[in-house]
Amino acid sequence: MKHSTKFNFLMNAILTASAFIFPLITYPYISRVLGPDNIGKVSLATSVVYYFGMFAQLGIPTYGINACARMRDNRRELTKTVQEIMIINLIMTAVVYAVFAVSLFAVPRLAAEKPLYIITGVTILFSTIGVEWLYKAVEQYSYIATVSILFKFISVAAMFAFVHNEGDYVIYGGITIIAASGSGLLNFIRLRRFISLKPVGHYDLRQHLRAIWVFFAMSVATTIYTNLDVVMLGFIKTDADVGYYNTAVKVKNVLCALVTSLGTVLLPRMSRLAKEEKWNEFYGLAKKSINFVLLLSLPLALFFAVFANESIRLLSGDAFLPAVLPMQVISFAVVFIGLTNIMGIQVLVPLGREKQVLVSEVAGALVNLVFNATLIPLCAATGAAIGTLLAEAMVFSYQYYVLRDVARPVFSRIAYWKILLALLVGCAMSVPIKLLPFRPFSGLLVAAGLFFGSYLAVLLIAKETLTRELIGQFIGKITAPFKRKKS
């Protein structure tokens, strides 16, 4: 069954947001039980394992969506494509696990926490057999979201049931893996709905390797500036510094999940439009997406920068207040991440310009590496946050440059004064809440209602085009059943 882009966006928003919202539900409890040091240990282990997983996955999570979306209407060709990609994936997973096993004994920092790294390492296998890229290519977002949320509910119950003191951080690490990757096994069992599991033979792996290596290089560059900060913090500073930074990053990740959900849904559709050379639809969708990202990301970034203190106190308690400044800095990276997700993955990739995306991400990785090395010894978690923000700004700047003929007209049509006015009114309405004796939760709730309510109201009064269109469609869907009854 083919769903609309709006339905897929909603389902993918639920999926991606749940990956971060569920940890936020448990994090106030977990952070207080385990403390900054043990939170830092688990965060460092997760980041290190992520690097190993990156090599196992190569560029398949993105390439697989693009390749399978083109074959989705031909079961035989889709089966052959999926099996070829999985063979490459399984070979690399075996190689990576061999290197991982050696590292557990050869690297002292890893050897000191061997049980934790072994448990978190299971995610590599689950990611390989889960083939989530196939499910996204055939737009099975409703299924993906449902199964993922089921496992997250299980993990929430497990955390409250089994994590009771500081020594339970290894258990916490294992439960986070179930939440993040447990659905991979069910995905594998359900594969026969879309492809045949019988080997088709006559495999041509070489046809995929060139593109996979380009996507892999993109993945390496992206991972450097999204995970290197945690690894460098862990090796240069302390586990506590990693714990503070991890708390700030959790909030940023929730915001990124909401902002980038549209982009993931668009990739299969944009790939098909490019293949069919329907350029008016292709660029029209891209333009609307960029406008949407700006309307959504700017208020989210500003609100959580202004209310960082309240957010950290609610999330982790006063022991994590050193995370406030890093959170204020890194919140604004959400704007750049949202824009480059559209410009890079959803526009340049379907156009076959992956190498330009790669160059942008390599440039971002170099900026991140330089500023991390310079600022982390001086500013710890805040230095890492600055490095990440500058890296994302660099990626955006390069992609804007290579897409300037398309991007310049799009960005010039954005009603910036309307958005700025809405943001200023939102701040004016919500900031006074800081002066009142609210508890963190109730204060944030009231402030969010005032800020986002005022922001939306100003955009509607100022007649911002896309806002009025989206609200009109939303109201139309709500009132449609009543109109049908009357007729």
Side-chain angles (χ1 to χ4, degrees):
M1 180 179 178
K2 184 178 178 180
H3 293 291
S4 67
T5 300
K6 293 169 187 173
F7 177 84
N8 288 336
F9 167 64
L10 176 61
M11 290 297 101
N12 197 55
I14 293 171
L15 169 67
T16 51
S18 71
F20 304 108
I21 290 175
F22 273 86
L24 288 179
I25 293 172
T26 57
Y27 203 71
Y29 170 75
I30 293 296
S31 59
R32 287 165 174 81
V33 171
L34 299 182
D37 286 336
N38 291 322
I39 288 289
K41 288 177 182 177
V42 176
S43 179
L44 179 60
T46 303
S47 295
V48 169
V49 168
Y50 190 89
Y51 274 97
F52 284 99
M54 173 189 68
F55 282 93
Q57 296 298 309
L58 296 175
I60 289 171
T62 303
Y63 171 76
I65 299 174
N66 199 34
C68 293
R70 296 170 182 267
M71 307 291 182
R72 58 178 291 177
D73 297 324
N74 187 324
R75 183 179 174 91
R76 180 180 175 80
E77 288 298 319
L78 182 62
T79 295
K80 189 171 185 290
T81 299
V82 172
Q83 290 186 9
E84 288 171 342
I85 295 173
M86 285 193 71
I87 289 171
I88 297 170
N89 207 171
L90 288 167
I91 291 171
M92 283 306 302
T93 298
V95 172
V96 164
Y97 267 127
V99 177
F100 183 60
V102 172
S103 301
L104 289 180
F105 292 92
V107 181
R109 194 70 187 265
L110 274 61
E113 296 291 345
K114 202 175 297 177
L116 176 60
Y117 282 87
I118 290 173
I119 288 174
T120 53
V122 174
T123 189
I124 300 172
L125 176 63
F126 281 5
S127 296
T128 298
I129 66 173
V131 292
E132 192 168 287
W133 39 270
L134 169 62
Y135 286 86
K136 289 182 177 179
V138 296
E139 301 186 42
Q140 288 286 301
Y141 291 101
S142 180
Y143 161 77
I144 297 172
T146 301
V147 173
S148 178
I149 290 173
L150 173 63
F151 275 93
K152 287 172 176 60
F153 270 117
I154 293 171
S155 71
V156 168
M159 284 185 191
F160 288 113
F162 300 112
V163 181
H164 301 298
N165 56 65
E166 290 186 358
D168 293 335
Y169 67 92
V170 176
I171 298 174
Y172 167 63
I175 293 172
T176 59
I177 297 308
I178 294 173
S181 307
S183 58
L185 185 59
L186 289 182
N187 288 357
F188 183 75
I189 294 171
R190 197 171 178 263
L191 262 179
R192 64 178 69 252
R193 285 174 174 246
F194 308 101
I195 64 168
S196 170
L197 298 182
K198 182 180 178 181
V200 298
H202 303 291
Y203 295 121
D204 181 11
L205 304 185
R206 287 187 178 182
Q207 65 173 317
H208 305 289
L209 290 177
R210 182 177 178 181
I212 282 177
W213 284 113
V214 172
F215 281 109
F216 171 61
M218 290 162 51
S219 177
V220 170
T222 302
T223 302
I224 287 175
Y225 68 81
T226 55
N227 282 275
L228 186 63
D229 42 13
V230 174
V231 175
M232 290 182 72
L233 261 178
F235 281 87
I236 295 174
K237 290 293 186 176
T238 66
D239 288 332
D241 288 309
V242 178
Y244 301 141
Y245 185 66
N246 182 64
T247 302
V249 168
K250 276 192 178 295
V251 177
K252 184 217 56 166
N253 286 344
V254 173
L255 305 183
C256 286
L258 294 172
V259 171
T260 60
S261 291
L262 176 64
T264 305
V265 167
L266 286 178
L267 181 54
R269 203 148 292 186
M270 298 286 272
S271 296
R272 290 200 303 278
L273 290 174
K275 183 181 179 181
E276 296 166 5
E277 298 186 353
K278 295 180 178 178
W279 301 117
N280 288 336
E281 292 181 52
F282 181 90
Y283 287 113
L285 196 54
K287 290 174 183 177
K288 186 172 287 189
S289 301
I290 289 172
N291 195 357
F292 175 81
V293 164
L294 283 171
L295 287 171
L296 182 60
S297 64
L298 286 170
L300 286 172
L302 181 60
F303 177 81
F304 283 96
V306 172
F307 290 92
N309 185 289
E310 293 79 4
S311 300
I312 295 298
R313 287 178 60 208
L314 173 64
L315 184 62
S316 302
D318 291 347
F320 284 78
L321 285 178
V324 169
L325 184 55
M327 179 176 162
Q328 290 174 324
V329 173
I330 207 169
S331 291
F332 290 99
V334 173
V335 180
F336 295 120
I337 292 170
L339 291 172
T340 54
N341 182 261
I342 299 297
M343 295 165 62
I345 302 301
Q346 319 312 329
V347 176
L348 288 172
V349 168
L351 290 176
R353 298 167 68 178
E354 297 93 346
K355 290 184 179 179
Q356 291 178 321
V357 181
L358 172 60
V359 172
S360 72
E361 293 180 346
V362 169
L366 290 174
V367 167
N368 189 249
L369 181 62
V370 170
F371 280 96
N372 276 350
T374 304
L375 297 177
I376 286 177
L378 300 174
C379 310
T382 303
I386 294 172
T388 297
L389 177 62
L390 293 176
E392 298 294 354
M394 171 57 76
V395 175
F396 168 76
S397 299
Y398 183 85
Q399 291 184 3
Y400 180 90
Y401 174 76
V402 299
L403 280 172
R404 58 192 178 279
D405 292 340
V406 176
R408 191 179 291 123
V410 174
F411 281 93
S412 66
R413 294 192 188 103
I414 303 294
Y416 295 106
W417 72 268
K418 295 178 182 180
I419 298 175
L420 178 60
L421 177 62
L423 291 172
L424 290 174
V425 172
C427 285
M429 295 296 293
S430 59
V431 168
I433 296 299
K434 285 176 167 285
L435 305 176
L436 301 176
F438 281 104
R439 292 181 178 273
F441 176 75
S442 55
L444 267 179
L445 193 63
V446 173
L450 291 171
F451 180 92
F452 291 104
S454 302
Y455 175 77
L456 182 60
V458 172
L459 289 178
L460 289 173
I461 293 170
K463 298 182 179 180
E464 199 284 322
T465 305
L466 184 57
T467 304
R468 287 168 63 91
E469 178 185 334
L470 294 174
I471 294 297
Q473 291 175 355
F474 177 73
I475 293 173
K477 286 188 177 293
I478 292 177
T479 58
F482 299 102
K483 291 180 180 178
R484 283 197 296 268
K485 285 182 180 180
K486 287 182 180 180
S487 61

